[in-house]
Amino acid sequence: MKNMNRREFLGTAGAFAGIMALAGCGSTGGNTASTTTAASSAAASGDMQLLTAGKLTVGTSPDFPPFENLENDEYVGLDMDLAKALADKLGLELELKNLQFDAIVPAVAAGGQVDLGISGITIEPEREEQVDFSDPYYIDDLAVVAMKDNADVTVDTYADALNQAGVVIAVQSGTTGESYAQENFPNATTQPYGNATDSFAALQSGQANAVVTNKAVGAKMVADAYTDAQVIKEIATGEEYGIAVNKDNGGLLSAVNDALAELTSDGTVDELTNKYFG
């Protein structure tokens, strides 16, 4: 995920499945087929409010791989698969709406644009003043990324090296990465960008000395697109991701929590974490 916030994993599948097990269910293996369940029954009862009947409209910022990304105009990633599985459990058609990350929580809070926000959103008090959150479904950390040829920024020196006047730290706007950089490198300039790709592009082009981002996103970016950069420090923040729901939509919140529990019980959570982190 932030102050509009994002995100050591509990370990690949454990981070995602473990937190859901704490929420109430163990994994037994299974499939994503829709059945008559507590979640689908709640959807059928009409207790939950939807923008469009029969449709689940989800706001996301698809520039945060491996959680959400656009590939050939297709929404892909762990969160996107989760959104599809949730919609299936609820017996609804899924519609994804592309929003800038820091606009998702306000959009959910205001109503009229999306039913849910699913986009690596950290559950934190400031956000909880605006929206309700589902049970947590993932635990994550932060990371500091720098160019491989930057001898000044290493695992041993980064704290002092980055906390200097003239240093620029790129972050995604509204994320916990932004908050962390501002609080821990107060002498540097924290430069927000609208998405993760622009933050990494600034690093690669020399406009920034480092990026602070989610641990999994940093690892994915340097492995796939920015191979001349490296993760120099992982920061154990233990942030819990949740699904944002409007405060006046308790029926939908209840249905989402039922669906999350069922997706843990039927093995879907394990399948998703193994797909992206196995």
Side-chain angles (χ1 to χ4, degrees):
M1 75 69 125
K2 291 167 176 181
N3 267 339
M4 303 284 300
N5 294 1
R6 292 198 197 239
R7 7 335 171 179
E8 205 156 87
F9 289 160
L10 294 181
T12 58
F16 192 65
I19 193 68
M20 284 307 302
L22 291 175
C25 295
S27 176
T28 60
N31 55 62
T32 61
S34 211
T35 58
T36 301
T37 63
S40 59
S41 295
S45 72
D47 290 340
M48 63 187 194
Q49 303 169 40
L50 296 171
L51 293 177
T52 305
K55 183 178 291 187
L56 186 67
T57 306
V58 175
T60 192
S61 179
D63 188 65
F64 203 65
F67 296 97
E68 46 268 339
N69 202 20
L70 275 175
E71 294 182 1
N72 300 318
D73 295 323
E74 180 182 359
Y75 289 85
V76 298
L78 190 153
D79 280 351
M80 301 296 88
D81 285 356
L82 177 62
K84 294 171 188 175
L86 281 171
D88 182 67
K89 280 291 181 186
L90 296 172
L92 300 171
E93 177 189 353
L94 177 65
E95 179 177 330
L96 295 167
K97 186 168 184 178
N98 189 334
L99 297 173
Q100 186 162 304
F101 179 75
D102 57 10
I104 295 173
V105 167
V108 173
Q113 298 182 64
V114 295
D115 298 309
L116 303 175
I118 305 178
S119 198
I121 305 173
T122 299
I123 302 169
E124 56 88 35
E126 183 177 333
R127 287 200 180 114
E128 289 179 305
E129 293 178 0
Q130 302 178 66
V131 298
D132 287 333
F133 280 98
S134 70
D135 295 328
Y137 67 87
Y138 201 84
I139 295 178
D140 207 351
D141 294 329
L142 292 175
V144 177
V145 180
M147 299 303 291
K148 290 179 179 179
D149 61 3
N150 187 346
D152 293 330
V153 183
T154 69
V155 66
D156 296 319
T157 66
Y158 82 95
D160 290 331
L162 295 180
N163 192 26
Q164 303 286 337
V167 168
V168 176
I169 302 172
V171 297
Q172 184 173 6
S173 177
T175 66
T176 47
E178 181 177 23
S179 304
Y180 183 90
Q182 291 170 339
E183 293 168 7
N184 290 273
F185 310 118
N187 295 320
T189 298
T190 298
Q191 180 61 55
Y193 291 88
N195 56 64
T197 296
D198 287 349
S199 301
F200 278 84
L203 173 67
Q204 191 176 59
S205 68
Q207 297 177 60
N209 303 88
V211 172
V212 179
T213 188
N214 158 279
K215 177 183 173 181
V217 174
K220 182 71 171 175
M221 288 289 198
V222 301
D224 292 354
Y226 299 91
T227 55
D228 48 355
Q230 62 183 342
V231 174
I232 59 163
K233 179 65 177 178
E234 296 174 357
I235 304 158
T237 52
E239 300 167 38
E240 296 179 337
Y241 289 8
I243 297 169
V245 186
N246 187 281
K247 282 185 171 293
D248 294 327
N249 205 347
L252 181 56
L253 177 63
S254 178
V256 166
N257 281 331
D258 285 343
L260 283 173
E262 290 164 11
L263 290 168
T264 300
S265 180
D266 70 13
T268 301
V269 166
D270 283 343
E271 292 173 11
L272 295 184
T273 52
N274 287 334
K275 177 179 178 179
Y276 291 98
F277 300 108

